[in-house]
Amino acid sequence: MGKKDLNTGLKLGVDSKWQYSPAPESTSHINLKKKYDLFIDGKWVAPSSGKYFDTINPATEEKIADIAEANEKDVDKAVKAARKAFGPWSKLPAKERAKFIYRIARLIQERAREFSVIESLDGGKAIRESRDVDVPLAAAHFFYNAGWADKLDYAFPGKKPEAIGVAGQIIPWNFPLLMAAWKLAPALACGNTVVLKPAETTPLTALKLAELVQEAGLPDGVVNIVTGAGSTGSSIVNHNDIDKIAFTGSTGVGKIIQKSIVGTNKRATLELGGKAANIIFEDAPIDQAVEGIINGIYFNQGHVCCAGSRLFIEEPVYDQVIRKLKDRINTLIVGDPLDKNTDIGAINSKAQLKTIKDYIKIGKKEGAEFFEGSCSLPSKGFFCKPTLFTGVAQSNKIVQEEIFGPVLAVQTFRSVDEVIKKANNTPYGLSAGVWTDKGSKIFNLTSQMRAGVVWANTYNKFDPASPFGGYKESGFGREGGLHGLSAYLNLN
Ligand code: NAP
Ligand code: MG
């Protein structure tokens, strides 16, 4: 087997011909129900409308299960359960609360294989990523935040940290389990209770997590999971007994939420879209940088808010980098998410595939030069080859707008000032990458980039201790580290 990037699980420059081919991950040991109700007040309850929707496997277009659709009444039930549980949960000695959270972390580890397969089935991501990134990192978030639960008084000296109350948490489809962990773990550690809504296309791992919450013995009502579409999310946002909204998703919906909570006492953190610049200087370790660019844009099919979707190459190394990049793209395997050799799995939904294809059409129309990987695509399911546009202009739509797919837009630069100006020139400010041998360039660049996270000579590294969040239209507030906990506390 070839070497792997330890953080993302992506293969490091290994020609597919030389890959050992293990059997695809089996689904026989996966324990999934045919029909999922809502998880409210520690019980599984049918939706009051009686309505269910399908969640499908985007790699086969086949239905996996019926999922309950929560309406306003169901959300109200969940909020009431969370409110009732809030008093006792927030007053529990913190070290006792922590024990429940540790238990969830350990149960995720015990079921890691099952969670990985379900995540890949429901959302389309390559099993190597679910197994090496999403699931272990989700467990790590529960461990990390559990550790803080009884140390908050020391973490915020001079303050009296208090739980906020009932948190409404709404998450997207790109990292379903991981985003649930980012949201639940700090909220619970601080003593809040929660109503969480997963995305319509990827509800299964959050529902599996509800089973673990039951198994871990959390008191009823502390965690409630309601499934449904945008209207369910909107019922959470507009419920008058929610104290805090934690949202991760598109900038468009983030703006709607911001407007809805004006004049209420709700607190909010919004983790929104991005259009990150990945910058390669002439003095960079080029082979390492090429791997970082590949990882930056094609990891998780490009469905990553911090994806390095804009590449800036310093002119003297442009030809060399592009040649190496194209060679590397031609080795990437797109296909069955359950195949352990797959690099790029299925696009999450038909609608997202259309969005990506529309942007590719726009890019071609805008006059950019198009390149795509030489791999073949499965005949069924939603798949897209890794693609690259060169010769793009700063004003092009594919440079300014988030595509959320495997599409990389490449530009060149001649000076540090020029690249900083161009890199900062989008509505977003979530993340960036810089590749250079010179520490001074890294410091200069990071201090001038309007990006919440800047990676140097690496990309897409995540850790529960690192705060993550954006500037400008990428939202506000930070998740991870102590910053992430403080978002769930009143610090008076
Ligand atoms: P989305 O359409 O905004 O949806 C996000 C969540 O909000 C989903 O659960 C969605 O439900 C729900 N929702 C939709 N309309 C709503 C409304 N009016 N009120 C309340 N909730 C509503 O985003 P997405 O397409 O799922 O996710 C992709 C976006 O997330 C990208 O822009 C990406 O950059 C961003 N993202 C950001 C971060 C970060 O940390 N900054 C991390 C990951 C993703 P349904 O799915 O059921 O419609
Ligand atoms: Mg699905």
Side-chain angles (χ1 to χ4, degrees), residues 363-377:
K364 288 177 180 169
K365 229 177 169 176
E366 283 176 328
E369 196 180 314
F370 178 71
F371 172 85
E372 64 182 1
S374 58
C375 60
S376 55
L377 296 184

Side-chain angles (χ1 to χ4, degrees), residues 53 169-175 179 182-183 197-202 227-238 247-254 256-257 260 270-274 303-306 352 402 404 428 430 468-470 474-475 479:
F53 61 91
Q169 307 186 318
I170 300 167
I171 56 175
W173 43 259
N174 56 343
F175 293 93
M179 288 297 113
W182 278 32
K183 296 275 179 283
K197 187 196 99 64
E200 193 181 1
T201 57
T202 54
T227 41
S231 61
T232 310
S234 172
S235 300
I236 295 175
V237 170
N238 294 310
F247 172 78
T248 298
S250 59
T251 296
V253 174
I256 295 174
I257 293 177
S260 319
L270 303 176
E271 300 280 359
L272 310 176
H303 303 328
V304 183
C305 49
C306 51
Q352 186 59 25
E402 185 182 45
F404 226 52
Y428 296 109
L430 189 57
F468 185 91
S474 293
E479 291 187 309

Side-chain angles (χ1 to χ4, degrees), residues 126-379:
I127 188 74
R128 207 170 37 213
E129 293 177 7
S130 311
R131 189 193 60 197
D132 295 352
V133 184
D134 296 63
V135 177
L137 255 184
H141 272 270
F142 282 102
F143 277 120
Y144 176 83
N145 285 284
W148 273 119
D150 61 355
K151 300 168 192 74
L152 296 171
D153 287 339
Y154 298 97
F156 302 101
K159 307 269 183 199
K160 195 180 170 318
E162 272 175 353
I164 297 176
V166 177
Q169 307 186 318
I170 300 167
I171 56 175
W173 43 259
N174 56 343
F175 293 93
L177 177 69
L178 187 56
M179 288 297 113
W182 278 32
K183 296 275 179 283
L184 289 172
L188 298 177
C190 294
N192 302 275
T193 55
V194 167
V195 177
L196 177 131
K197 187 196 99 64
E200 193 181 1
T201 57
T202 54
L204 289 176
T205 44
L207 292 164
K208 267 278 152 199
L209 197 55
E211 292 177 4
L212 295 201
V213 163
Q214 264 184 322
E215 206 175 320
L218 258 80
D220 293 348
V222 171
V223 172
N224 303 275
I225 312 262
V226 291
T227 41
S231 61
T232 310
S234 172
S235 300
I236 295 175
V237 170
N238 294 310
H239 196 290
N240 59 18
D241 202 25
I242 291 265
D243 300 298
K244 147 102 190 175
I245 301 291
F247 172 78
T248 298
S250 59
T251 296
V253 174
K255 284 182 181 173
I256 295 174
I257 293 177
Q258 233 176 334
K259 281 187 193 142
S260 319
I261 62 174
V262 169
T264 72
N265 290 323
K266 289 172 191 158
R267 286 198 17 203
T269 35
L270 303 176
E271 300 280 359
L272 310 176
K275 193 76 190 176
N278 212 348
I279 301 167
I280 298 201
F281 285 96
E282 177 187 14
D283 56 26
I286 299 291
D287 288 340
Q288 193 187 329
V290 167
E291 288 308 316
I293 296 159
I294 294 280
N295 163 7
I297 183 62
Y298 304 124
F299 172 55
N300 200 29
Q301 297 77 249
H303 303 328
V304 183
C305 49
C306 51
S309 50
R310 291 181 298 147
L311 172 62
F312 291 92
I313 309 175
E314 198 168 14
E315 271 186 6
V317 287
Y318 178 79
D319 290 340
Q320 186 193 358
V321 171
I322 290 294
R323 185 172 32 80
K324 290 192 175 213
L325 205 50
K326 287 183 175 174
D327 285 349
R328 182 69 176 98
I329 288 171
N330 281 334
T331 70
L332 295 173
I333 302 169
V334 182
D336 179 4
L338 294 185
D339 187 323
K340 291 161 191 159
N341 274 336
T342 292
D343 296 300
I344 301 180
I347 299 301
N348 183 264
S349 65
K350 196 174 186 174
Q352 186 59 25
L353 182 59
K354 182 177 181 315
T355 303
I356 296 167
K357 286 191 167 164
D358 286 350
Y359 271 111
I360 291 175
K361 269 188 216 151
I362 291 169
K364 288 177 180 169
K365 229 177 169 176
E366 283 176 328
E369 196 180 314
F370 178 71
F371 172 85
E372 64 182 1
S374 58
C375 60
S376 55
L377 296 184
S379 54

